[in-house]
Amino acid sequence: MKKCQNCGYEMDNKSKFCPKCGYSAANSYQDNNEIKETDKKSTELFIIIGRIFYIVAIADFILGNFFNVDITGVWWSPLLFVGIGFILESYAKKE
């Protein structure tokens, strides 16, 4: 549901104009619950991607140090992957 910015009337998402005051629905905003659901999904996505970077960092470290299989060809790649994962999770928790 959208709320009219002019009068606060809750209207259908497909409405082009507010049925109560006639104000343009293009200037209206969505209900806070819908916005929070979208924010929650994006936050969860950042956390999942961050954890995938942690897993890649651990796999790269173990394969490179114990099995002599270097995925990336540089010694500092696990540090980079951990850093990216940390940044993504930190950004998600700030939202």
Side-chain angles (χ1 to χ4, degrees), residues 42-58 80-92:
S42 65
T43 300
E44 289 174 356
L45 183 64
F46 277 115
I47 290 173
I48 290 169
I49 294 171
R51 291 187 180 164
I52 289 172
F53 272 99
Y54 285 145
I55 292 168
V56 170
I58 291 168
L80 177 69
F81 293 138
V82 167
I84 292 171
F86 178 76
I87 289 169
L88 288 170
E89 284 197 16
S90 296
Y91 179 75

Side-chain angles (χ1 to χ4, degrees), residues 60-71:
D60 189 27
F61 178 78
I62 291 172
L63 289 173
N65 288 318
F66 298 112
F67 297 105
N68 291 328
V69 177
D70 196 2
I71 297 172

